Amino acid sequence: MAIIKVQKGTKDILPSEMPIWHFMEETANKIFTKYGAKEIRTPIFEATELFARGVGDTTDIVNKEMYTFEKSDRSLTLRPENTAGVVRSFIENGMHRLSAPVKLWYKGPMFRYERPQAGRQRQFHQVGIEVFGIKQATADAEVILMAVDYLHELGLNDLTVELNTLGCPKCREEFKTKLKDVIRPYLPQLCEDCQTRFDKNPLRLLDCKSPECQEVYAKPEIQAVIQGDFICEECSEHFEELKNYLDTLGIKYERNRLLVRGLDYYNRTVFEIKSNNLGSQNAVCGGGRYDSLVKNLGGEDTPAIGFAMGMERLASLIGERAEEKLTAYIVSNNTAEAVKLTQELRSKGIACEFDLTNKKFVKQLEKASKTAKFAVILGEDEIANGEVTVKNLDSGEQKTVKRDELKLD
Ligand code: ATP
Ligand code: MG
């Protein structure tokens, strides 16, 4: 019979890879908790409309990448990202009544129908933060700091923080008009996507990966508009404040005026963190401010800012982590005593196993040295004397102790 295989663009995360995943997850909990963030878990599927309204219907995510299905006349979608779900939950659970800032973090699988390639899957995982209720640039700085702190704690230092401001809807309108005016003459030379985006969402043009389009956007008259400062005084002050905070915190960044981010809902601050050790899919973190989203989804007017990181990309940078070994393996030819001792140790919280098949003593010792840190030997003498022999499988050191005085460290 034909073997059923894992779906294109999806992967098993195997036990051998788990040390890295546990490390990423435990570090997220540790670091984000330090900043006062609380974990939230929202459903994997939501009403399709949430993403259409929340992510934006001019984005690639909503137009091309969603896994949408019908059930009982309802259109549902596997979440392509988690900000919309967290915002829905924030509104539905009245979290605007909590004292600001409300800091939430999440981790879990996301689904996008994309062309699978290195660093790009159809089911992938993100870990992220959303901070609600603060419009001041202090929140922007704190969110970037949380991202950098987390990455450093994972041992990732060869990174570049790219920063930009998209201004507010008001200043952005003027920029869009100017940008369209200079790009219009080149419209026929642009890719199909850019031709569609031209009217719907001209900022996204700058984000295009096609070399032909980028050649057009590199023209001096277009660069003059891109590099010119279009943002209004208030937005400009906000950006200056953010940069000052980052300088105070010693966080290095580079201004990237082409950074517009794929999602519709961003305003003012946008940022990306790129690894200098990944190929073309080198962004490990993307984030930004989205002050109008909570209101657009029917909530109270609440400013917010957040980021998401791709965990597969982080995992590929973290490299090897030591295998998670059992603490103890019980070696004995007396199965009844072995079971009893195993349960005694497990009840003390010690991870251990014994031989379920009554193999020869030597085979059991071999198994112990492959899987555990300690062999706990229970021979006839030990049983008779209420003792156990503990062998440290790293050092080879061995000692016999009273059973109730057994310590494994
Ligand atoms: P990209 O430009 O790489 O497509 P994006 O702008 O679509 O990224 P976001 O939606 O901001 O990405 O997601 C944040 C992070 O999630 C990215 O920086 C990346 O690390 C990761 N990510 C996004 N899409 C995928 C995917 N299909 N497979 C693996 N990781 C992904
Ligand atoms: Mg993408």
Side-chain angles (χ1 to χ4, degrees):
M1 234 197 300
I3 302 171
I4 299 171
K5 293 204 169 144
V6 76
Q7 290 299 294
K8 193 170 163 192
T10 71
K11 274 190 184 151
D12 298 312
I13 302 174
L14 297 169
S16 59
E17 299 165 75
M18 264 319 149
I20 293 181
W21 287 80
H22 287 164
F23 177 51
M24 289 191 288
E25 292 166 2
E26 283 156 18
T27 305
N29 194 11
K30 184 173 99 183
I31 299 295
F32 301 149
T33 303
K34 254 187 357 187
Y35 288 81
K38 303 261 162 64
E39 187 178 356
I40 183 166
R41 297 187 191 180
T42 65
I44 302 283
F45 64 84
E46 299 268 2
T48 302
E49 197 196 343
L50 175 68
F51 302 113
R53 273 167 59 190
V55 180
D57 51 17
T58 67
T59 60
D60 285 351
I61 292 184
V62 170
N63 282 326
K64 302 183 194 161
E65 299 174 1
M66 294 212 296
Y67 281 92
T68 297
F69 56 100
E70 297 275 326
K71 217 63 189 165
S72 312
D73 283 342
R74 270 195 209 139
S75 179
L76 303 171
T77 293
L78 300 184
R79 63 184 188 193
E81 53 91 86
N82 210 174
T83 301
V86 171
V87 170
R88 178 204 46 69
S89 179
F90 179 89
I91 298 168
E92 205 171 336
N93 293 292
M95 288 190 232
H96 65 278
R97 287 192 296 269
L98 302 173
S99 86
V102 176
K103 295 177 178 172
L104 303 174
W105 77 272
Y106 61 81
K107 61 175 191 296
M110 309 295 155
F111 305 84
R112 297 184 193 174
Y113 189 70
E114 301 203 67
R115 195 170 66 78
Q117 52 193 293
R120 201 173 283 291
Q121 291 174 204
R122 290 180 172 171
Q123 175 174 342
F124 61 101
H125 295 75
Q126 287 184 333
V127 54
I129 281 279
E130 314 293 352
V131 172
F132 295 93
I134 309 288
K135 62 177 190 304
Q136 283 87 344
T138 38
D140 308 46
E142 176 118 313
V143 163
I144 294 173
L145 179 61
M146 271 193 255
V148 169
D149 198 358
Y150 176 61
L151 292 165
H152 285 172
E153 192 70 16
L154 294 180
L156 309 180
N157 296 302
D158 199 4
L159 304 161
T160 306
V161 178
E162 293 190 355
L163 193 63
N164 197 17
T165 178
L166 300 176
C168 57
K170 201 179 98 231
C171 43
R172 200 152 52 187
E173 252 351 277
E174 275 174 43
F175 177 64
K176 280 188 193 170
T177 312
K178 281 194 194 153
L179 193 64
K180 281 169 78 175
D181 287 347
V182 282
I183 291 179
R184 193 170 287 109
Y186 300 99
L187 208 47
Q189 296 171 37
L190 301 182
C191 73
E192 220 174 281
D193 276 348
C194 280
Q195 298 201 6
T196 325
R197 287 179 194 139
F198 182 79
D199 278 319
K200 280 195 186 166
N201 191 352
L203 279 187
R204 289 290 319 284
L205 297 178
L206 307 179
D207 215 19
C208 180
K209 306 234 157 57
S210 136
E212 290 78 24
C213 297
Q214 282 306 331
E215 206 173 298
V216 169
Y217 307 142
K219 302 224 179 265
E221 72 272 30
I222 299 178
Q223 278 300 311
V225 173
I226 296 170
Q227 303 297 338
D229 260 328
F230 65 89
I231 55 172
C232 65
E233 214 176 294
E234 266 180 62
C235 290
S236 182
E237 263 170 36
H238 192 272
F239 195 50
E240 286 308 310
E241 270 174 46
L242 168 60
K243 290 193 288 188
N244 287 337
Y245 288 130
L246 292 178
D247 290 342
T248 309
L249 290 165
I251 297 177
K252 293 201 174 57
Y253 55 85
E254 283 173 15
R255 175 84 187 261
N256 176 0
R257 290 173 193 265
L258 292 178
L259 184 67
V260 293
R261 309 278 306 121
L263 313 182
D264 275 0
Y265 50 60
Y266 289 116
N267 69 295
R268 291 195 168 163
T269 311
V270 286
F271 65 98
E272 257 181 20
I273 303 180
K274 292 187 174 150
S275 160
N276 305 327
N277 302 311
L278 281 176
S280 53
Q281 313 308 330
N282 63 351
V284 292
C285 174
R289 184 167 270 287
Y290 52 92
D291 291 337
S292 52
L293 184 62
V294 180
K295 194 163 178 219
N296 283 350
L297 288 175
E300 301 281 321
D301 207 351
T302 310
I305 174 161
F307 67 72
M309 294 191 190
M311 296 180 80
E312 280 77 4
R313 293 187 198 177
L314 296 180
S316 70
L317 288 167
I318 290 170
E320 293 291 302
R321 300 266 316 161
E323 195 190 335
E324 289 160 351
K325 281 198 163 174
L326 272 184
T327 306
Y329 194 85
I330 315 298
V331 176
S332 179
N333 286 330
N334 186 329
T335 308
E337 285 297 323
V339 175
K340 262 184 15 204
L341 180 61
T342 306
Q343 277 319 95
E344 259 170 55
L345 296 186
R346 286 176 181 159
S347 71
K348 289 185 194 158
I350 296 170
C352 62
E353 280 194 305
F354 72 100
D355 175 42
L356 297 171
T357 53
N358 208 6
K359 278 199 198 64
K360 291 221 166 63
F361 202 79
V362 195
K363 291 275 171 210
Q364 292 188 29
L365 257 180
E366 264 172 30
K367 168 92 173 177
S369 48
K370 276 189 205 138
T371 55
K373 294 180 197 148
F374 296 94
V376 178
I377 301 162
L378 202 52
E380 291 309 319
D381 285 352
E382 281 94 348
I383 296 171
N385 300 331
E387 291 175 340
V388 288
T389 298
V390 183
K391 181 173 184 185
N392 181 324
L393 294 161
D394 271 338
S395 64
E397 199 186 318
Q398 188 166 315
K399 61 176 188 250
T400 303
V401 295
K402 286 280 167 220
R403 194 154 153 168
D404 48 12
E405 285 166 12
L406 173 63
K407 276 208 195 83
L408 296 173
D409 43 31

